[in-house]
Amino acid sequence: MTSPYEAESHRILRSRVDTAHLPPLTRAVVEHIVCNLADTTWVGDVVADEAALLAGRNALLAGAPLVVDVRMLAAAVAPHPAVVGLDQPGVAELAKSEETTRSAAGIRLAARAHPVGAVWAVGNAPTALMELIRLAEAGELRPALVVGVPVGFVGSVDAKAALRRSGLPSLSTVTERGGAAIAGSVINALMRERSAPGEACAHVS
């Protein structure tokens, strides 16, 4: 149920920027991000595939695992359970032996446990997203949806562009912006938005 605060937030948003051209789930997700940050410039930064968002939402509602890169993102989607890549047993050892980052190692280990049908969300390290893409290209991972919004000046834009080129079902951002809070906003919007596409996606918070 929409609170008066949420309704007013969305009224202000729509008085400042037009989101009517966006498909229903994409609109719900983008408006959720904009309302959370009070920043309408996110409307042009988010790149999403409506069918991918629908598949991801349906997967989550059907009980598919949600795999995230860091604990901060797991906290952002609580109480929905999440598998945290960095918490996988053997992360430090794999990172050392493969001379890679702990974030990438965590994604690789989580992929072994959840190779098909999971929803993946990366909000921190570009190396985690690049490892996810590599695994998918190698045929070792088939995600229902990838929310790829790592943040930072180094590597994040390239990683998100690679995600879009990969053909994986995804949501990403164009610029360096992103982070665990953004990835969490996407997942929370999808989990809350249970109406069919084309119906009431007006107030998602």
PDB file of all heavy atoms in Angstrom, residues 65-71 73-74 77 80-88 106-107 109-111 113-114 118-121:
ATOM      1  N   PRO A  65      17.513 -18.101  -6.241  1.00  0.00           N
ATOM      2  CA  PRO A  65      18.505 -17.437  -5.385  1.00  0.00           C
ATOM      3  C   PRO A  65      18.824 -16.032  -5.886  1.00  0.00           C
ATOM      4  O   PRO A  65      18.826 -15.774  -7.089  1.00  0.00           O
ATOM      5  CB  PRO A  65      19.740 -18.347  -5.506  1.00  0.00           C
ATOM      6  CG  PRO A  65      19.244 -19.636  -6.056  1.00  0.00           C
ATOM      7  CD  PRO A  65      18.049 -19.307  -6.895  1.00  0.00           C
ATOM      8  N   LEU A  66      19.089 -15.154  -4.955  1.00  0.00           N
ATOM      9  CA  LEU A  66      19.634 -13.832  -5.253  1.00  0.00           C
ATOM     10  C   LEU A  66      21.083 -13.853  -4.804  1.00  0.00           C
ATOM     11  O   LEU A  66      21.374 -14.079  -3.627  1.00  0.00           O
ATOM     12  CB  LEU A  66      18.866 -12.741  -4.506  1.00  0.00           C
ATOM     13  CG  LEU A  66      19.487 -11.337  -4.562  1.00  0.00           C
ATOM     14  CD1 LEU A  66      19.520 -10.818  -5.991  1.00  0.00           C
ATOM     15  CD2 LEU A  66      18.728 -10.378  -3.655  1.00  0.00           C
ATOM     16  N   VAL A  67      22.000 -13.644  -5.749  1.00  0.00           N
ATOM     17  CA  VAL A  67      23.426 -13.665  -5.448  1.00  0.00           C
ATOM     18  C   VAL A  67      23.969 -12.252  -5.583  1.00  0.00           C
ATOM     19  O   VAL A  67      23.781 -11.613  -6.624  1.00  0.00           O
ATOM     20  CB  VAL A  67      24.191 -14.613  -6.386  1.00  0.00           C
ATOM     21  CG1 VAL A  67      25.653 -14.721  -5.957  1.00  0.00           C
ATOM     22  CG2 VAL A  67      23.552 -16.002  -6.410  1.00  0.00           C
ATOM     23  N   VAL A  68      24.634 -11.761  -4.548  1.00  0.00           N
ATOM     24  CA  VAL A  68      25.160 -10.399  -4.543  1.00  0.00           C
ATOM     25  C   VAL A  68      26.659 -10.430  -4.281  1.00  0.00           C
ATOM     26  O   VAL A  68      27.191 -11.419  -3.786  1.00  0.00           O
ATOM     27  CB  VAL A  68      24.451  -9.531  -3.483  1.00  0.00           C
ATOM     28  CG1 VAL A  68      22.949  -9.522  -3.729  1.00  0.00           C
ATOM     29  CG2 VAL A  68      24.740 -10.031  -2.071  1.00  0.00           C
ATOM     30  N   ASP A  69      27.324  -9.341  -4.607  1.00  0.00           N
ATOM     31  CA  ASP A  69      28.782  -9.348  -4.466  1.00  0.00           C
ATOM     32  C   ASP A  69      29.250  -9.022  -3.052  1.00  0.00           C
ATOM     33  O   ASP A  69      30.264  -9.556  -2.605  1.00  0.00           O
ATOM     34  CB  ASP A  69      29.438  -8.410  -5.482  1.00  0.00           C
ATOM     35  CG  ASP A  69      28.950  -6.963  -5.411  1.00  0.00           C
ATOM     36  OD1 ASP A  69      27.820  -6.729  -4.912  1.00  0.00           O
ATOM     37  OD2 ASP A  69      29.684  -6.064  -5.871  1.00  0.00           O
ATOM     38  N   VAL A  70      28.513  -8.172  -2.331  1.00  0.00           N
ATOM     39  CA  VAL A  70      29.004  -7.713  -1.028  1.00  0.00           C
ATOM     40  C   VAL A  70      27.891  -7.712   0.019  1.00  0.00           C
ATOM     41  O   VAL A  70      26.700  -7.679  -0.316  1.00  0.00           O
ATOM     42  CB  VAL A  70      29.608  -6.293  -1.132  1.00  0.00           C
ATOM     43  CG1 VAL A  70      30.893  -6.300  -1.943  1.00  0.00           C
ATOM     44  CG2 VAL A  70      28.606  -5.315  -1.729  1.00  0.00           C
ATOM     45  N   ARG A  71      28.293  -7.710   1.287  1.00  0.00           N
ATOM     46  CA  ARG A  71      27.336  -7.739   2.391  1.00  0.00           C
ATOM     47  C   ARG A  71      26.458  -6.496   2.428  1.00  0.00           C
ATOM     48  O   ARG A  71      25.297  -6.552   2.832  1.00  0.00           O
ATOM     49  CB  ARG A  71      28.078  -7.867   3.718  1.00  0.00           C
ATOM     50  CG  ARG A  71      28.781  -9.202   3.915  1.00  0.00           C
ATOM     51  CD  ARG A  71      29.582  -9.206   5.189  1.00  0.00           C
ATOM     52  NE  ARG A  71      30.374 -10.419   5.329  1.00  0.00           N
ATOM     53  CZ  ARG A  71      31.314 -10.583   6.249  1.00  0.00           C
ATOM     54  NH1 ARG A  71      31.564  -9.596   7.103  1.00  0.00           N
ATOM     55  NH2 ARG A  71      31.989 -11.714   6.305  1.00  0.00           N
ATOM     56  N   LEU A  73      25.148  -4.919   0.041  1.00  0.00           N
ATOM     57  CA  LEU A  73      24.018  -5.133  -0.857  1.00  0.00           C
ATOM     58  C   LEU A  73      23.032  -6.132  -0.261  1.00  0.00           C
ATOM     59  O   LEU A  73      21.819  -5.963  -0.375  1.00  0.00           O
ATOM     60  CB  LEU A  73      24.521  -5.603  -2.214  1.00  0.00           C
ATOM     61  CG  LEU A  73      23.498  -5.894  -3.305  1.00  0.00           C
ATOM     62  CD1 LEU A  73      22.423  -4.837  -3.382  1.00  0.00           C
ATOM     63  CD2 LEU A  73      24.204  -6.044  -4.649  1.00  0.00           C
ATOM     64  N   ALA A  74      23.547  -7.158   0.402  1.00  0.00           N
ATOM     65  CA  ALA A  74      22.665  -8.108   1.077  1.00  0.00           C
ATOM     66  C   ALA A  74      21.837  -7.395   2.139  1.00  0.00           C
ATOM     67  O   ALA A  74      20.639  -7.674   2.313  1.00  0.00           O
ATOM     68  CB  ALA A  74      23.476  -9.234   1.702  1.00  0.00           C
ATOM     69  N   VAL A  77      18.823  -5.394   0.694  1.00  0.00           N
ATOM     70  CA  VAL A  77      17.638  -6.119   0.230  1.00  0.00           C
ATOM     71  C   VAL A  77      16.977  -6.922   1.340  1.00  0.00           C
ATOM     72  O   VAL A  77      15.983  -7.603   1.110  1.00  0.00           O
ATOM     73  CB  VAL A  77      17.973  -7.048  -0.956  1.00  0.00           C
ATOM     74  CG1 VAL A  77      18.510  -6.239  -2.120  1.00  0.00           C
ATOM     75  CG2 VAL A  77      18.955  -8.139  -0.557  1.00  0.00           C
ATOM     76  N   HIS A  80      14.873 -10.059   2.414  1.00  0.00           N
ATOM     77  CA  HIS A  80      15.003 -11.078   1.378  1.00  0.00           C
ATOM     78  C   HIS A  80      16.393 -11.705   1.477  1.00  0.00           C
ATOM     79  O   HIS A  80      17.396 -10.995   1.542  1.00  0.00           O
ATOM     80  CB  HIS A  80      14.820 -10.468  -0.009  1.00  0.00           C
ATOM     81  CG  HIS A  80      14.758 -11.493  -1.101  1.00  0.00           C
ATOM     82  ND1 HIS A  80      13.611 -12.200  -1.389  1.00  0.00           N
ATOM     83  CD2 HIS A  80      15.711 -11.954  -1.953  1.00  0.00           C
ATOM     84  CE1 HIS A  80      13.848 -13.041  -2.376  1.00  0.00           C
ATOM     85  NE2 HIS A  80      15.112 -12.908  -2.736  1.00  0.00           N
ATOM     86  N   PRO A  81      16.479 -13.029   1.500  1.00  0.00           N
ATOM     87  CA  PRO A  81      17.788 -13.675   1.654  1.00  0.00           C
ATOM     88  C   PRO A  81      18.661 -13.503   0.424  1.00  0.00           C
ATOM     89  O   PRO A  81      18.164 -13.457  -0.705  1.00  0.00           O
ATOM     90  CB  PRO A  81      17.425 -15.145   1.874  1.00  0.00           C
ATOM     91  CG  PRO A  81      16.093 -15.305   1.216  1.00  0.00           C
ATOM     92  CD  PRO A  81      15.379 -14.011   1.416  1.00  0.00           C
ATOM     93  N   ALA A  82      19.953 -13.404   0.646  1.00  0.00           N
ATOM     94  CA  ALA A  82      20.896 -13.249  -0.459  1.00  0.00           C
ATOM     95  C   ALA A  82      22.158 -14.050  -0.177  1.00  0.00           C
ATOM     96  O   ALA A  82      22.614 -14.147   0.964  1.00  0.00           O
ATOM     97  CB  ALA A  82      21.251 -11.777  -0.659  1.00  0.00           C
ATOM     98  N   VAL A  83      22.711 -14.614  -1.229  1.00  0.00           N
ATOM     99  CA  VAL A  83      24.003 -15.286  -1.171  1.00  0.00           C
ATOM    100  C   VAL A  83      25.071 -14.237  -1.451  1.00  0.00           C
ATOM    101  O   VAL A  83      25.009 -13.540  -2.472  1.00  0.00           O
ATOM    102  CB  VAL A  83      24.089 -16.410  -2.221  1.00  0.00           C
ATOM    103  CG1 VAL A  83      25.472 -17.048  -2.223  1.00  0.00           C
ATOM    104  CG2 VAL A  83      23.003 -17.454  -1.980  1.00  0.00           C
ATOM    105  N   VAL A  84      26.045 -14.094  -0.564  1.00  0.00           N
ATOM    106  CA  VAL A  84      27.087 -13.068  -0.711  1.00  0.00           C
ATOM    107  C   VAL A  84      28.356 -13.707  -1.256  1.00  0.00           C
ATOM    108  O   VAL A  84      28.921 -14.615  -0.640  1.00  0.00           O
ATOM    109  CB  VAL A  84      27.376 -12.380   0.635  1.00  0.00           C
ATOM    110  CG1 VAL A  84      28.448 -11.301   0.452  1.00  0.00           C
ATOM    111  CG2 VAL A  84      26.100 -11.778   1.203  1.00  0.00           C
ATOM    112  N   GLY A  85      28.808 -13.237  -2.395  1.00  0.00           N
ATOM    113  CA  GLY A  85      29.997 -13.794  -3.014  1.00  0.00           C
ATOM    114  C   GLY A  85      31.212 -13.755  -2.114  1.00  0.00           C
ATOM    115  O   GLY A  85      31.949 -14.751  -1.986  1.00  0.00           O
ATOM    116  N   LEU A  86      31.440 -12.628  -1.472  1.00  0.00           N
ATOM    117  CA  LEU A  86      32.624 -12.484  -0.625  1.00  0.00           C
ATOM    118  C   LEU A  86      32.600 -13.395   0.593  1.00  0.00           C
ATOM    119  O   LEU A  86      33.644 -13.620   1.210  1.00  0.00           O
ATOM    120  CB  LEU A  86      32.781 -11.032  -0.169  1.00  0.00           C
ATOM    121  CG  LEU A  86      33.404 -10.075  -1.178  1.00  0.00           C
ATOM    122  CD1 LEU A  86      33.436  -8.661  -0.615  1.00  0.00           C
ATOM    123  CD2 LEU A  86      34.813 -10.515  -1.552  1.00  0.00           C
ATOM    124  N   ASP A  87      31.441 -13.921   0.929  1.00  0.00           N
ATOM    125  CA  ASP A  87      31.329 -14.801   2.093  1.00  0.00           C
ATOM    126  C   ASP A  87      31.487 -16.273   1.744  1.00  0.00           C
ATOM    127  O   ASP A  87      31.388 -17.135   2.631  1.00  0.00           O
ATOM    128  CB  ASP A  87      29.976 -14.600   2.787  1.00  0.00           C
ATOM    129  CG  ASP A  87      29.909 -13.288   3.551  1.00  0.00           C
ATOM    130  OD1 ASP A  87      30.958 -12.659   3.739  1.00  0.00           O
ATOM    131  OD2 ASP A  87      28.796 -12.893   3.954  1.00  0.00           O
ATOM    132  N   GLN A  88      31.743 -16.584   0.477  1.00  0.00           N
ATOM    133  CA  GLN A  88      31.876 -17.983   0.083  1.00  0.00           C
ATOM    134  C   GLN A  88      33.167 -18.572   0.648  1.00  0.00           C
ATOM    135  O   GLN A  88      34.214 -17.924   0.648  1.00  0.00           O
ATOM    136  CB  GLN A  88      31.880 -18.118  -1.436  1.00  0.00           C
ATOM    137  CG  GLN A  88      30.606 -17.628  -2.107  1.00  0.00           C
ATOM    138  CD  GLN A  88      29.375 -18.316  -1.556  1.00  0.00           C
ATOM    139  OE1 GLN A  88      29.190 -19.519  -1.730  1.00  0.00           O
ATOM    140  NE2 GLN A  88      28.531 -17.547  -0.881  1.00  0.00           N
ATOM    141  N   GLY A 106      34.859 -14.471  -5.319  1.00  0.00           N
ATOM    142  CA  GLY A 106      33.564 -14.751  -4.705  1.00  0.00           C
ATOM    143  C   GLY A 106      32.491 -15.044  -5.736  1.00  0.00           C
ATOM    144  O   GLY A 106      31.653 -15.949  -5.556  1.00  0.00           O
ATOM    145  N   ILE A 107      32.506 -14.293  -6.839  1.00  0.00           N
ATOM    146  CA  ILE A 107      31.546 -14.540  -7.911  1.00  0.00           C
ATOM    147  C   ILE A 107      31.777 -15.922  -8.515  1.00  0.00           C
ATOM    148  O   ILE A 107      30.821 -16.674  -8.775  1.00  0.00           O
ATOM    149  CB  ILE A 107      31.656 -13.451  -8.994  1.00  0.00           C
ATOM    150  CG1 ILE A 107      31.212 -12.097  -8.439  1.00  0.00           C
ATOM    151  CG2 ILE A 107      30.863 -13.839 -10.235  1.00  0.00           C
ATOM    152  CD1 ILE A 107      29.757 -12.023  -8.036  1.00  0.00           C
ATOM    153  N   LEU A 109      33.064 -18.603  -7.128  1.00  0.00           N
ATOM    154  CA  LEU A 109      32.638 -19.657  -6.206  1.00  0.00           C
ATOM    155  C   LEU A 109      31.117 -19.718  -6.101  1.00  0.00           C
ATOM    156  O   LEU A 109      30.529 -20.799  -6.051  1.00  0.00           O
ATOM    157  CB  LEU A 109      33.265 -19.415  -4.837  1.00  0.00           C
ATOM    158  CG  LEU A 109      34.781 -19.638  -4.764  1.00  0.00           C
ATOM    159  CD1 LEU A 109      35.332 -19.142  -3.429  1.00  0.00           C
ATOM    160  CD2 LEU A 109      35.124 -21.110  -4.975  1.00  0.00           C
ATOM    161  N   ALA A 110      30.472 -18.561  -6.068  1.00  0.00           N
ATOM    162  CA  ALA A 110      29.012 -18.555  -5.997  1.00  0.00           C
ATOM    163  C   ALA A 110      28.400 -19.137  -7.261  1.00  0.00           C
ATOM    164  O   ALA A 110      27.357 -19.797  -7.214  1.00  0.00           O
ATOM    165  CB  ALA A 110      28.510 -17.129  -5.773  1.00  0.00           C
ATOM    166  N   ALA A 111      29.054 -18.930  -8.400  1.00  0.00           N
ATOM    167  CA  ALA A 111      28.546 -19.458  -9.663  1.00  0.00           C
ATOM    168  C   ALA A 111      28.581 -20.982  -9.683  1.00  0.00           C
ATOM    169  O   ALA A 111      27.747 -21.615 -10.328  1.00  0.00           O
ATOM    170  CB  ALA A 111      29.353 -18.897 -10.823  1.00  0.00           C
ATOM    171  N   ALA A 113      27.906 -22.846  -7.223  1.00  0.00           N
ATOM    172  CA  ALA A 113      26.763 -23.305  -6.437  1.00  0.00           C
ATOM    173  C   ALA A 113      25.437 -22.941  -7.088  1.00  0.00           C
ATOM    174  O   ALA A 113      24.428 -23.623  -6.861  1.00  0.00           O
ATOM    175  CB  ALA A 113      26.834 -22.713  -5.035  1.00  0.00           C
ATOM    176  N   HIS A 114      25.424 -21.880  -7.902  1.00  0.00           N
ATOM    177  CA  HIS A 114      24.167 -21.392  -8.493  1.00  0.00           C
ATOM    178  C   HIS A 114      24.382 -21.088  -9.979  1.00  0.00           C
ATOM    179  O   HIS A 114      24.283 -19.926 -10.405  1.00  0.00           O
ATOM    180  CB  HIS A 114      23.689 -20.147  -7.755  1.00  0.00           C
ATOM    181  CG  HIS A 114      23.575 -20.329  -6.282  1.00  0.00           C
ATOM    182  ND1 HIS A 114      22.538 -21.036  -5.688  1.00  0.00           N
ATOM    183  CD2 HIS A 114      24.384 -19.912  -5.261  1.00  0.00           C
ATOM    184  CE1 HIS A 114      22.701 -21.042  -4.383  1.00  0.00           C
ATOM    185  NE2 HIS A 114      23.804 -20.368  -4.094  1.00  0.00           N
ATOM    186  N   ALA A 118      19.641 -18.045 -11.282  1.00  0.00           N
ATOM    187  CA  ALA A 118      19.700 -17.095 -10.177  1.00  0.00           C
ATOM    188  C   ALA A 118      19.626 -15.666 -10.705  1.00  0.00           C
ATOM    189  O   ALA A 118      19.896 -15.393 -11.876  1.00  0.00           O
ATOM    190  CB  ALA A 118      20.970 -17.283  -9.367  1.00  0.00           C
ATOM    191  N   VAL A 119      19.268 -14.753  -9.829  1.00  0.00           N
ATOM    192  CA  VAL A 119      19.369 -13.324 -10.101  1.00  0.00           C
ATOM    193  C   VAL A 119      20.649 -12.831  -9.452  1.00  0.00           C
ATOM    194  O   VAL A 119      20.898 -13.107  -8.276  1.00  0.00           O
ATOM    195  CB  VAL A 119      18.152 -12.557  -9.550  1.00  0.00           C
ATOM    196  CG1 VAL A 119      18.358 -11.048  -9.670  1.00  0.00           C
ATOM    197  CG2 VAL A 119      16.885 -12.983 -10.286  1.00  0.00           C
ATOM    198  N   TRP A 120      21.467 -12.132 -10.217  1.00  0.00           N
ATOM    199  CA  TRP A 120      22.768 -11.651  -9.748  1.00  0.00           C
ATOM    200  C   TRP A 120      22.757 -10.136  -9.666  1.00  0.00           C
ATOM    201  O   TRP A 120      22.261  -9.459 -10.578  1.00  0.00           O
ATOM    202  CB  TRP A 120      23.876 -12.107 -10.697  1.00  0.00           C
ATOM    203  CG  TRP A 120      24.070 -13.592 -10.697  1.00  0.00           C
ATOM    204  CD1 TRP A 120      23.241 -14.531 -11.250  1.00  0.00           C
ATOM    205  CD2 TRP A 120      25.138 -14.306 -10.091  1.00  0.00           C
ATOM    206  NE1 TRP A 120      23.737 -15.793 -11.025  1.00  0.00           N
ATOM    207  CE2 TRP A 120      24.900 -15.695 -10.319  1.00  0.00           C
ATOM    208  CE3 TRP A 120      26.281 -13.930  -9.387  1.00  0.00           C
ATOM    209  CZ2 TRP A 120      25.759 -16.682  -9.866  1.00  0.00           C
ATOM    210  CZ3 TRP A 120      27.149 -14.911  -8.928  1.00  0.00           C
ATOM    211  CH2 TRP A 120      26.880 -16.268  -9.162  1.00  0.00           C
ATOM    212  N   ALA A 121      23.323  -9.597  -8.587  1.00  0.00           N
ATOM    213  CA  ALA A 121      23.398  -8.144  -8.419  1.00  0.00           C
ATOM    214  C   ALA A 121      24.804  -7.766  -7.963  1.00  0.00           C
ATOM    215  O   ALA A 121      25.282  -8.255  -6.938  1.00  0.00           O
ATOM    216  CB  ALA A 121      22.362  -7.663  -7.412  1.00  0.00           C
TER     217      ALA A 121
END
